[in-house]
Amino acid sequence: MSTQQHAKPSLTLKRRIKASPEKIFAAWTEPQQMMMWFGPENVETKEVDADVRIGGRFRVKMLENTGDWHEVSGVYKEIVENAKLVFSWAWVTTPERESQVTVTLKPDGEQTILTLHHEQLFDETSRDGHIHGWTGSLDKLEALFA
């Protein structure tokens, strides 16, 4: 039996953002800032709780323009201030489908290269949905600093 059969889908997205790693890190870790960008287009983030420490939890509640609510939560696993965040990720409706997100920030002159890696996704459909969601979120994050 090959291990390839059991490999879970993942995704990696990169962005060059016109802001310092410190400002982008704050946007990922301060609830008031997360509310301004977190979630894809057609989604408004309504509530964010974030206890940003190893073992601390986060929770985000979002309202889609269709009236549907979405809630995701996780636990911070690794934190390197202004450089890296690693956290678990699970939708409240499917808590058994826990995956992991790693965000790295590398300074590049006046800008920052953000790399988002989301791994251990349940299946290709989940991966594709998360590509859509994260792309929309990163578009809004980039616009925040434009």
Side-chain angles (χ1 to χ4, degrees):
M1 178 158 57
S2 107
T3 55
Q4 198 69 342
Q5 289 176 319
H6 299 291
K8 290 192 167 194
S10 65
L11 66 92
T12 301
L13 300 171
K14 285 190 178 210
R15 291 291 175 100
R16 184 181 306 273
I17 299 176
K18 294 178 183 170
S20 67
E22 293 79 10
K23 287 183 177 180
I24 297 169
F25 189 83
W28 277 91
T29 57
E30 294 175 10
Q32 289 299 83
Q33 288 197 50
M34 287 176 72
M35 288 185 66
M36 295 191 289
W37 69 270
F38 203 92
E41 72 279 358
N42 305 322
V43 170
E44 184 180 352
T45 298
K46 292 293 195 177
E47 193 177 319
V48 176
D49 294 313
D51 179 10
V52 186
R53 61 182 174 82
I54 293 176
R57 298 191 64 78
F58 75 90
R59 183 175 57 87
V60 180
K61 290 175 92 171
M62 298 168 272
L63 178 62
E64 199 170 347
N65 63 359
T66 60
D68 291 337
W69 283 91
H70 304 283
E71 186 175 338
V72 68
S73 67
V75 175
Y76 294 102
K77 297 179 174 184
E78 184 180 347
I79 301 164
V80 180
E81 193 162 345
N82 304 323
K84 186 177 187 181
L85 276 176
V86 180
F87 49 89
S88 62
W89 178 272
W91 294 100
V92 73
T93 53
T94 53
E96 72 284 358
R97 293 184 178 187
E98 185 175 283
S99 54
Q100 181 169 289
V101 177
T102 301
V103 177
T104 56
L105 305 172
K106 295 209 183 314
D108 186 35
E110 307 266 317
Q111 302 178 345
T112 299
I113 297 171
L114 179 151
T115 303
L116 182 145
H117 183 65
H118 195 155
E119 61 189 316
Q120 301 164 8
L121 289 156
F122 183 72
D123 58 18
E124 283 78 12
T125 301
S126 175
R127 180 202 56 213
D128 295 348
H130 283 89
I131 288 172
H132 171 78
W134 282 122
T135 297
S137 290
L138 294 178
D139 287 347
K140 288 162 60 174
L141 178 64
E142 209 170 352
L144 195 62
F145 296 109

